[in-house]
Amino acid sequence: MRVIKIEKLIMQKCIDFSSNLNFVGGQITRDGTLLLIESGLEESGLEELDFFQRPVAKHNWTIRMINGENIETVELQKVPLIPTEVDLFSDGSLLLVQSRCLKDGKYMERNARRYNPNGQLIEAFPLGDGIENVQIDETDTIWVSYFDEGIFGNFGWEQPMGSEGIVAYTMNGNKLWGASGYGIVDCYALNVVSSREVYFYYYDDFFLVQLNEKKETIRYRVEGKGAMQQFMFDQAGMIGQIDMYTIMRFQIKNRTITPKKKLQLIDEHGKRIIGPVFMRGTFLYAYGKDGVYRKL
């Protein structure tokens, strides 16, 4: 589809923020707090991180929790995993997850670790290999989506934990539910607003499905068939990120979601914001050079 228009989306600066640490990843919690994973490793060291190397080297990681004009920092020392996902439980404890998980015979790597706000380990457990997204709802249910290797098996997994594409777990890692019946080959994107509003977009049907209490309530056909990485709904329809450089505005009509135009994120002075983008619920953040911005 030929896109000829560009929509400028005004973002409001939440807070001035810059860091001498290296950005690794991030996530928005269900209440709109932005979490950033940072590392003191040199950039060259980050590039050389090998998700398949075992044992995993222990490193220190810094978690920034940005809520409005407030920033809290949690320091995690000598962590034996490379975190790709992070979220918060209702008691304030922190869940850190590594996307790759080794299975060797009966041994399963514990690639999920729960820490208290002081950075002390509470427990560790496996969530399987090939993890795409991890998000926690208000009941402390952990929703995990998987990409193809986590669904069909790799890295020692003949019976993958993620074979259903999306699985819901207790806060201790016990399975509650799986998305059987959808034939998910790769779950591209997940958006957990609450236990009554869970969205996922998957291949190879290119449906975007809404769940309420783990039961389907609606499904949309997504045109364009792009590997949308994340998305959110607003009054004008839907916003989705296609790749690192491309954010799109989508129109919703008759349960069909259609790409309409590219989006460009700008500040209140019209200057373009370049940096990582995060979406969840109705929240959209951008981490620019001089601070963190939020969709008005």
Side-chain angles (χ1 to χ4, degrees):
M1 181 176 181
R2 187 167 171 237
V3 179
I4 57 174
K5 294 183 179 179
I6 295 179
E7 175 185 341
K8 294 183 183 293
L9 188 66
I10 299 175
M11 306 282 285
Q12 183 180 47
K13 183 182 279 191
C14 303
I15 191 169
D16 291 318
F17 176 72
S18 61
S19 176
N20 58 359
L21 299 178
N22 294 300
F23 170 77
V24 176
Q27 166 86 289
I28 302 173
T29 68
R30 62 193 177 281
D31 68 353
T33 299
L34 177 62
L35 306 179
L36 301 178
I37 306 171
E38 295 186 319
S39 171
L41 292 172
E42 297 293 333
E43 287 191 13
S44 59
L46 281 175
E47 292 170 359
E48 292 172 3
L49 288 174
D50 184 350
F51 285 91
F52 293 98
Q53 182 179 345
R54 293 300 181 272
V56 178
K58 294 180 180 180
H59 293 295
N60 299 337
W61 305 93
T62 298
I63 309 299
R64 310 282 190 188
M65 298 184 287
I66 301 173
N67 193 333
E69 297 180 355
N70 299 316
I71 297 182
E72 295 182 36
T73 299
V74 177
E75 300 288 352
L76 304 177
Q77 305 291 326
K78 298 180 179 179
V79 179
L81 56 76
I82 303 170
T84 55
E85 305 294 322
V86 62
D87 208 339
L88 289 174
F89 290 106
S90 59
D91 64 359
S93 59
L94 193 71
L95 180 68
L96 210 65
V97 178
Q98 176 178 268
S99 64
R100 305 313 306 236
C101 179
L102 172 68
K103 187 175 187 299
D104 186 2
K106 294 183 179 180
Y107 167 78
M108 289 187 291
E109 191 172 31
R110 296 184 296 173
N111 63 324
R113 294 170 69 85
R114 182 179 167 215
Y115 293 88
N116 69 19
N118 295 321
Q120 297 168 319
L121 180 66
I122 298 173
E123 61 183 333
F125 48 87
L127 285 178
D129 186 48
I131 291 175
E132 184 69 42
N133 293 112
V134 177
Q135 295 180 11
I136 300 170
D137 71 21
E138 82 287 356
T139 70
D140 286 328
T141 296
I142 306 168
W143 294 83
V144 183
S145 64
Y146 298 84
F147 54 84
D148 53 359
E149 292 182 36
I151 294 171
F152 297 104
N154 192 15
F155 214 23
W157 292 85
E158 294 182 0
Q159 296 178 313
M161 292 177 67
S163 60
E164 293 166 294
I166 298 176
V167 181
Y169 300 91
T170 67
M171 68 187 303
N172 309 111
N174 297 314
K175 183 179 177 180
L176 293 169
W177 176 88
S180 60
Y182 286 96
I184 298 173
V185 173
D186 195 325
C187 188
Y188 288 147
L190 177 71
N191 189 334
V192 177
V193 183
S194 71
S195 61
R196 297 172 299 281
E197 198 174 355
V198 174
Y199 301 91
F200 62 92
Y201 172 58
Y202 69 97
Y203 177 77
D204 62 351
D205 287 333
F206 297 104
F207 284 128
L208 193 155
V209 176
Q210 179 185 342
L211 304 176
N212 183 335
E213 300 291 353
K214 305 180 183 70
K215 295 181 181 179
E216 182 179 325
T217 53
I218 190 171
R219 68 169 64 188
Y220 302 93
R221 168 73 68 181
V222 180
E223 295 187 345
K225 296 180 173 56
M228 186 165 52
Q229 298 173 352
Q230 54 181 339
F231 60 89
M232 58 159 288
F233 295 95
D234 65 2
Q235 294 179 340
M238 193 182 85
I239 296 171
Q241 184 173 22
I242 306 303
D243 56 40
M244 186 182 299
Y245 307 102
T246 310
I247 300 172
M248 298 289 296
R249 162 69 67 193
F250 292 79
Q251 181 184 60
I252 304 173
K253 186 177 181 180
N254 298 327
R255 298 198 179 185
T256 299
I257 297 175
T258 307
K260 299 302 292 183
K261 49 192 170 184
K262 289 186 178 180
L263 273 182
Q264 193 174 89
L265 306 184
I266 60 172
D267 66 17
E268 294 166 297
H269 305 290
K271 185 178 178 181
R272 188 173 181 185
I273 303 168
I274 299 175
V277 174
F278 313 91
M279 303 179 196
R280 183 172 176 184
T282 58
F283 301 104
L284 190 159
Y285 285 93
Y287 178 16
K289 288 184 178 180
D290 60 348
V292 174
Y293 296 79
R294 179 173 170 176
K295 179 180 179 295
L296 295 169

